[in-house]
Amino acid sequence: MLFDMTTNAEGAPTNAEGAPTNAEGAPTNAEGAPESPQQPRRRTPAGAAVLREDVTEAIRAAVFEELAAVGYARMSIEGIARRAGVGKTAVYRRWRSKLHLVLDLVSAVAVQGLPAPDTGTLEGDLRLLYEVTSRALRHPVASQIIPDLQAEAARNPDIAEAMQKALREGQEGVASGIVAAAERRGEVRMGIDDELALDLISGPLYWRSVVIRSPKLPKGYLESLARATAVALKAL
């Protein structure tokens, strides 16, 4: 079937009736995905930009998968759209570039943060935090994405700032909560150095899991780390 191809005000291809099409002239929906011929076309309200949440989530998931598969440098909007099953237009309607897309996702990680443990003891809280953090850092996708973005951060100050914000705020909120609870229970003295406490709590596991990328934690490592960190915090 042949379509009478024209373009709209943004330069996107349309057919004779002004409906959006892809490069081959086949009808598409507002997100750039092929439109089913059996379904009637829904008209978007005038002046409204309706962004479907399921499409947005599909794009976000595709970004993580694409980052893990090819890395930031080789990642492209085309690859993201293909993996998400949408047109490039759907991506560009939400983010101006792959940089803005990645920065948005990294910032979202900082907002979500980690769950604050509440076991009733300092050592128990640390042990639970290390278990959750260890699983997250050793996830196949995270283990590929974090080192790649760190390398890119050395060349891109915007990514460096977003990475610092995500990693620091995600850990800082939980670590300060653990220390504050320990202070209330009398396990550590009041007013200990928050910056030093954060380094003691977050540093060792991050070093082993992300920097040297140890393939497997030694047996009993998390228990020993929680015990040693609790002792160090009490000594501050």
Side-chain angles (χ1 to χ4, degrees), residues 109-122:
V109 172
V111 173
Q112 293 174 0
L114 293 168
D118 185 16
T119 65
T121 67
L122 175 59

Side-chain angles (χ1 to χ4, degrees), residues 66 75-88 91-92:
E66 195 74 0
M75 186 179 73
S76 66
I77 296 297
E78 290 82 356
I80 294 169
R82 182 168 54 250
R83 193 179 288 269
V86 301
K88 289 191 298 181
V91 182
Y92 282 120

